[in-house]
Amino acid sequence: MQSEFADFQLYRQRCAQQFSLNRCQTQQLYARLLAAYSEPQRHYHGVQHILECLQHFDQIRTQLQQLSLVELALWFHDAVYHPKAQDNEAQSATLCQQLCADFLTAAQLETVSRWILATRQHQPSDEPDLNALLDIDLAILAAPPARFAEYQQQIHQEYAWVEQNLYQHKRRAVLMQFYQMQPLYQTRYFQQHYEAQAKHNLAQALSAAGESAS
């Protein structure tokens, strides 16, 4: 956890520099984000997820057109997360608008907010930067087997309040939706580096889910 906090601070400082935030702005903004991503209901959608997203972001940053806005959207895309809620993305976009209004233009705020909202449905876009953002958010599906298994358990923990058979049914439907997407990832980089592993992980998970249901 201490290592995660240190990494969070490093990424925080880099993003703050891109927007020329002063020390007070930086501390206030990222204190809110750290508090949000450290909430007890988060087992997957927490600090670890944001750091993993930012690591993948670094891998493709040279391919992005609106670099700083993609990074900011990553910081905020799960800023509000309650497993029982249906409007987490909308609330996250609203929080971004509230906290970033003093250093983003109206057009930039609209773009970032729209991108955050798009992480709800994960539909292919004609915007390369948005496709990159969505691919980064789904990069966990291509994680090494041990991390993917951990991710599956973390999601299960977030939905521990759901009756077990119903959870398995709903979770299998989500995994199947991703498995049937052709392609799953929309950017060439993610297709080349992660598509095969993601489909393998999803196939394994679906097979295990089928055995559990039988």
Side-chain angles (χ1 to χ4, degrees):
M1 184 63 188
Q2 190 63 33
S3 174
E4 284 188 351
F5 179 75
D7 290 342
F8 190 95
Q9 296 291 82
L10 287 173
Y11 280 118
R12 172 195 86 166
Q13 195 58 40
R14 183 184 72 182
C15 189
Q17 289 173 351
Q18 291 188 59
F19 292 101
S20 301
L21 302 186
N22 60 39
R23 183 176 180 181
C24 182
Q25 287 175 310
T26 301
Q27 290 178 339
Q28 290 179 351
L29 179 62
Y30 290 96
R32 289 288 299 274
L33 288 171
L34 181 59
Y37 287 112
S38 301
E39 291 168 343
Q41 78 275 14
R42 298 170 184 264
H43 298 277
Y44 171 65
H45 294 88
V47 172
Q48 181 186 23
H49 171 53
I50 294 304
L51 293 178
E52 288 174 339
C53 284
L54 291 169
Q55 289 162 6
H56 286 290
F57 167 81
D58 280 348
Q59 293 174 354
I60 62 169
R61 57 187 297 126
T62 59
Q63 303 172 30
L64 301 172
Q65 299 172 0
Q66 300 183 78
L67 180 73
S68 60
L69 297 188
V70 174
E71 184 170 7
L72 196 65
L74 287 171
W75 277 106
F76 274 94
H77 79 284
D78 285 324
V80 177
Y81 180 75
H82 299 284
K84 296 183 180 182
Q86 299 295 318
D87 61 346
N88 288 313
E89 292 81 8
Q91 290 193 48
S92 295
T94 297
L95 183 64
C96 179
Q97 291 171 346
Q98 293 171 348
L99 297 182
C100 303
D102 59 344
F103 63 87
L104 290 184
T105 66
Q108 289 173 327
L109 275 175
E110 190 280 330
T111 296
V112 175
S113 297
R114 182 166 48 78
W115 288 352
I116 292 171
L117 291 172
T119 63
R120 176 174 174 80
Q121 297 295 334
H122 279 276
Q123 293 301 307
S125 167
D126 58 2
E127 296 179 75
D129 282 354
L130 175 53
N131 283 332
L133 172 70
L134 298 176
D135 283 358
I136 289 170
D137 193 28
L138 294 183
I140 186 64
L141 299 179
R147 175 62 185 119
F148 183 79
E150 180 187 37
Y151 153 72
Q152 285 278 82
Q153 181 60 32
Q154 289 170 333
I155 294 294
H156 197 176
Q157 287 177 282
E158 289 184 346
Y159 287 90
W161 50 275
V162 178
E163 191 274 328
Q164 182 65 14
N165 288 336
L166 178 60
Y167 172 81
Q168 290 179 348
H169 174 74
K170 294 288 189 180
R171 183 61 181 163
R172 194 176 195 281
V174 170
L175 296 174
M176 181 62 74
Q177 178 183 356
F178 287 134
Y179 182 72
Q180 292 178 338
M181 288 179 66
Q182 298 294 343
L184 171 62
Y185 296 117
Q186 303 307 309
T187 63
R188 180 174 296 181
Y189 180 89
F190 272 81
Q191 289 171 4
Q192 292 177 341
H193 292 83
Y194 297 117
E195 184 87 11
Q197 182 61 44
K199 289 303 179 71
H200 174 76
N201 286 342
L202 289 166
Q204 294 284 97
L206 285 166
S207 177
E211 292 172 2
S212 298
S214 61

